[in-house]
């Protein structure tokens, strides 16, 4: 019988990445890709602001840094926030088996859709994740709206 991975310890790595992004003047969202046995494959954070690249989300950064894997079925994408549609598509495209998210209160991404697609989704509802991003959104609403693809009037781009 396989043991459940330590999701809280994995989330701590993603939270470190989110704090790095915050310290760099970016959006505090971090992620890490692990093997089911707990081996860290790659870690990263949202660097859209820092690099001027709208495709560098936390999950994509961690995924790229993990390099090529033979299979993603036994990998776990840990992210401080519910994955957006872009990052949910990445999970589906590459067959990542599990998504662990720190929270889904500040933003509801594609995690329900991922569950429907057979991905195991775990919501840790972590107070630290909720507070860090919530405080940042309150201070930077325009940058946040740009990040989630809204133009501020409630319409998607």
């Amino acid at each position: 019988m396989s043991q459940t991975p330590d999701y809280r310890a994995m989330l701590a790595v993603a939270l470190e990445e989110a704090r790095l992004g915050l310290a760099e003047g970016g959006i505090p969202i971090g992620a890490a890709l692990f093997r089911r046995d707990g081996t860290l494959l790659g870690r990263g954070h949202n660097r859209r602001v820092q690099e001027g690249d709208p495709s560098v989300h936390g999950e994509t950064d961690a995924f790229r840094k993990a390099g090529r894997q033979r299979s993603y079925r036994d990998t776990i994408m840990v992210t401080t926030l519910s994955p957006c549609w872009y990052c949910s598509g990445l999970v589906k495209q590459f067959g990542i088996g599990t998504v662990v998210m720190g929270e889904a209160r500040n933003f509801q991404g594609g995690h329900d859709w991922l569950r429907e697609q057979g991905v195991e989704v775990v919501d840790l509802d972590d107070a630290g994740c909720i507070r860090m991003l919530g405080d940042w959104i309150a201070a930077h609403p325009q940058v946040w709206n740009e990040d989630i693809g809204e133009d501020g009037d409630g319409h998607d781009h």
Side-chain angles (χ1 to χ4, degrees):
M1 185 168 150
S2 68
Q3 198 169 322
T4 301
D6 186 347
Y7 294 144
R8 291 272 170 196
M10 291 175 169
L11 180 63
V13 175
L15 261 167
E16 282 178 21
E17 286 291 328
R19 288 187 193 104
L20 275 174
L22 184 63
E24 295 168 358
I27 302 166
I29 301 171
L33 187 68
F34 291 89
R35 279 201 196 103
R36 191 142 195 80
D37 68 4
T39 303
L40 176 64
L41 299 171
R43 55 189 288 169
H45 55 274
N46 186 303
R47 290 184 285 117
R48 289 182 61 258
V49 172
Q50 299 91 309
E51 296 188 7
D53 181 346
S55 71
V56 187
H57 289 206
E59 297 91 334
T60 59
D61 194 34
F63 179 79
R64 288 173 179 158
K65 287 178 176 167
R68 290 172 59 188
Q69 303 296 314
R70 195 170 278 254
S71 169
Y72 293 90
R73 178 60 44 210
D74 289 329
T75 63
I76 301 168
M77 178 64 78
V78 182
T79 176
T80 56
L81 183 66
S82 172
C84 70
W85 286 110
Y86 168 56
C87 295
S88 294
L90 180 144
V91 169
K92 175 66 176 150
Q93 172 72 29
F94 290 94
I96 293 171
T98 304
V99 170
V100 174
M101 52 191 189
E103 62 115 340
R105 294 183 188 228
N106 283 303
F107 177 75
Q108 287 276 329
H111 64 269
D112 287 336
W113 175 77
L114 286 171
R115 271 194 192 106
E116 292 168 9
Q117 302 301 309
V119 176
E120 180 185 1
V121 177
V122 178
D123 182 359
L124 296 178
D125 200 32
D126 181 81
C129 290
I130 295 165
R131 185 173 44 255
M132 181 171 39
L133 185 59
D135 290 350
W136 187 90
I137 291 169
H140 305 90
Q142 288 178 310
V143 178
W144 176 246
N145 284 334
E146 178 189 325
D147 191 66
I148 61 173
E150 291 189 0
D151 53 19
D153 63 4
H155 295 105
D156 291 344
H157 289 174

